[in-house]
Amino acid sequence: MVVLQTVPSGSPAQVAGTFALFALFFTVTAHLAARNVLGDVEIKRAFAVGPAVPAISFVFVALSWPAALALPLALAADFGLFRYVYRQSNKLTAYLTLIHAVVSIILGVIVFGLLALIQSAPG
């Protein structure tokens, strides 16, 4: 079995800062997904949805649980929070969750690709 996770290291402030950045990232992508699917929505609702995925990720990494279980749990939590916060039908909530996953992947690849490009710059 290949381990794709490492236990968080660093000071508690560094771990909390990393969590806060990921929570903010998923909050922004949740809001983008909600605006794309539902139209004009309040951003404060996305703050209830955003931190769930990073929280699950951090718990699974800290306890060395398998990542294969974290993904379905994170998607289920995302679905449940979107359903509760935005009060939409199951079908529309499933579509909203899918769009959130797609937006998160696309924006994540772009942001982390740019960071890798900047770090590899000469000088």
Side-chain angles (χ1 to χ4, degrees), residues 28 40 69 113:
V28 168
D40 193 26
L69 299 175

Side-chain angles (χ1 to χ4, degrees), residues 15-67:
V15 173
T18 302
F19 174 79
L21 282 175
F22 277 117
L24 181 62
F25 173 79
F26 280 103
T27 298
V28 168
T29 58
H31 182 64
L32 289 172
R35 282 193 62 122
N36 184 22
V37 174
L38 303 174
D40 193 26
V41 292
E42 298 174 346
I43 193 166
K44 68 181 180 180
R45 291 182 179 199
F47 280 100
V49 177
V53 174
I56 291 169
S57 174
F58 270 64
V59 167
F60 271 71
V61 169
L63 299 177
S64 299
W65 290 349

Side-chain angles (χ1 to χ4, degrees), residues 51-116:
V53 174
I56 291 169
S57 174
F58 270 64
V59 167
F60 271 71
V61 169
L63 299 177
S64 299
W65 290 349
L69 299 175
L71 182 61
L73 183 62
L75 288 172
D78 212 26
F79 177 88
L81 285 169
F82 272 126
R83 174 96 167 104
Y84 178 74
V85 171
Y86 291 100
R87 306 215 186 273
Q88 300 296 321
S89 68
N90 285 337
K91 186 175 180 180
L92 191 58
T93 303
Y95 182 62
L96 186 56
T97 303
L98 173 69
I99 296 300
H100 184 217
V102 169
V103 168
S104 297
I105 291 168
I106 291 171
L107 193 59
V109 167
I110 291 169
V111 169
F112 292 113
L114 285 174
L115 288 175

